Amino acid sequence: MGYHIVDPDNLEPEPDRPSEMRYVSEAAGMEQMGLRVYDVAPGEEIPLSGLHYHETQEEAFYVLEGELSVETPDRVYRVDQGEFFVADAESPHRAHNDSEARTKVIGMGAPPISDGHVYER
């Protein structure tokens, strides 16, 4: 058995990201799910690759504060505080902040693999 308390404020942000991202899953030694906390300034986005999809990974974003916009090939979803946005595997999406205030988001992905691909329209 194992238990962990992780304060994301005590984690260093990952370098070279389009928004501030802290890996909770790595700090806790999680192996079956990726868990991240994002602090997204106005105009910033979460992914490195823009509109993308994952071959296997399912991904979910939970909005802690503010509003998150998620672009898909068909429309842009507005995800309010207290709501989840869930993208199935092979479903193109791009999460970003197009509001005038900061947005705080928990991002989860399982399995925790790097299987993202740029989506070409």
Side-chain angles (χ1 to χ4, degrees):
M1 286 189 276
Y3 308 96
H4 309 273
I5 294 176
V6 177
D7 182 347
D9 291 335
N10 292 334
L11 303 176
E12 288 294 319
E14 289 295 307
D16 304 319
R17 298 290 305 193
S19 61
E20 183 178 288
M21 182 188 80
R22 298 168 193 263
Y23 267 118
V24 174
S25 53
E26 287 187 359
M30 297 170 69
E31 297 177 3
Q32 303 302 314
M33 177 177 68
L35 182 59
R36 303 160 301 279
V37 176
Y38 297 93
D39 187 350
V40 190
E44 290 182 338
E45 61 181 69
I46 288 176
L48 286 170
S49 57
L51 192 62
H52 69 286
Y53 67 95
H54 300 275
E55 288 179 25
T56 304
Q57 186 181 69
E58 298 173 319
E59 195 166 28
F61 300 104
Y62 179 75
V63 180
L64 294 169
E65 295 177 22
E67 177 186 84
L68 185 67
S69 295
V70 184
E71 175 189 357
T72 70
D74 300 322
R75 64 180 275 208
V76 175
Y77 291 86
R78 304 283 181 226
V79 189
D80 292 323
Q81 181 175 322
E83 293 181 329
F84 280 92
F85 178 87
V86 179
D88 294 340
E90 300 185 3
S91 299
H93 59 283
R94 178 181 74 95
H96 60 285
N97 180 358
D98 68 359
S99 74
E100 296 181 12
R102 295 189 84 77
T103 300
K104 293 194 177 185
V105 176
I106 294 174
M108 298 153 274
I113 57 177
S114 294
D115 68 343
H117 302 280
V118 173
Y119 177 76
E120 302 291 335
R121 293 183 192 253

